[in-house]
Every structure is written in structure tokens, then in C-alpha cells.
């Protein structure tokens, strides 16, 4: 999917935009459930923020975008977001996963 320079640039820009929103979320205070998982409401807020940012900044460069944030994520483990982007003049979505993993150090 990254065989063309143009598609690679589009995906790089989408990743940078989503990463900025994701990093702000991870570094911010957010609600957790009693069992240590993230609140589904907070994860939906993250997903909405990523979708809004990418869709507003990439007008004319992409034909479609959606993010997928799994609703069950352990705060002590790996937090991930899946980005699904369809560059302009391309017939399918390209999927990329971003994630942060907490270490014990």
C-alpha cells in the first residue's frame, strides 16, 4: 500500500496528526474503571478527537478516514488505536496501528 510516494506522505501525515492527539490523551488525566481499564467513555472521546482532527486537517487529501479504539484497554498495559485511511483516488483503506506500551522501569 505504500508503493507510491504520495500514499506514503498521506499516511505519514495522518499518523502525525493522530499521534499528537493520542499523546495528549495518554499524558492527560482520564477516567478509569475500578478494575484498572480505561473508561469506555474516555476511549470514545479519544476516538472522536482523532477523527475530528484528521478529517478537518486532511480535507482534499483523503477520501475517507476512521479510527478504531478498542473499548477494553488496560491502563497498565498497551494502549492502541487503529487508523483506517483511504487516500484520494485509492479504492481501499490502509490500516495502521499506533500504540503506547507502559514499561515497568
Amino acid at each position: 500500500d505504500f508503493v507510491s510516494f504520495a500514499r506514503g506522505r498521506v499516511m505519514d501525515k495522518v499518523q502525525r496528526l493522530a499521534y499528537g492527539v493520542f499523546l495528549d490523551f495518554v499524558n492527560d488525566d482520564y477516567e478509569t474503571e475500578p478494575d484498572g481499564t480505561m473508561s469506555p467513555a474516555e476511549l470514545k472521546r479519544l476516538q472522536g478527537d482523532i477523527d475530528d482532527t484528521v478529517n478537518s486537517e486532511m480535507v482534499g487529501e483523503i477520501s475517507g478516514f476512521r479510527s478504531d479504539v478498542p473499548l477494553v484497554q488496560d491502563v497498565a498495559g498497551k494502549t492502541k488505536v487503529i487508523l483506517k485511511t483511504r487516500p484520494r483516488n485509492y479504492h481501499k483503506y490502509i490500516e495502521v496501528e499506533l500504540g503506547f506500551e507502559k514499561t515497568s522501569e
Side-chain angles (χ1 to χ4, degrees):
D1 290 334
F2 288 94
V3 295
S4 107
F5 183 67
R7 282 194 290 263
R9 281 192 11 231
V10 167
M11 290 306 299
D12 287 345
K13 186 173 179 182
V14 166
Q15 288 180 72
R16 281 193 310 272
L17 291 168
Y19 180 82
V21 174
F22 194 20
L23 185 62
D24 287 344
F25 175 82
V26 170
N27 287 330
D28 200 5
D29 291 330
Y30 47 82
E31 295 293 321
T32 59
E33 297 296 319
D35 64 356
T37 59
M38 281 190 238
S39 163
E42 291 294 326
L43 293 170
K44 280 295 187 186
R45 179 178 62 90
L46 169 62
Q47 182 175 348
D49 290 349
I50 290 172
D51 288 350
D52 292 346
T53 299
V54 172
N55 283 317
S56 66
E57 294 290 326
M58 299 292 292
V59 172
E61 296 179 69
I62 58 175
S63 299
F65 173 82
R66 63 182 185 262
S67 62
D68 182 28
V69 179
L71 293 181
V72 178
Q73 298 199 39
D74 188 359
V75 175
K78 184 176 182 179
T79 307
K80 70 178 181 177
V81 174
I82 299 165
L83 310 175
K84 299 174 183 176
T85 308
R86 190 174 68 218
R88 211 171 94 217
N89 300 323
Y90 195 63
H91 69 283
K92 66 178 184 172
Y93 282 87
I94 299 172
E95 192 172 300
V96 175
E97 182 179 308
L98 294 179
F100 289 104
E101 191 166 349
K102 300 208 172 160
T103 60
S104 60
E105 295 179 32

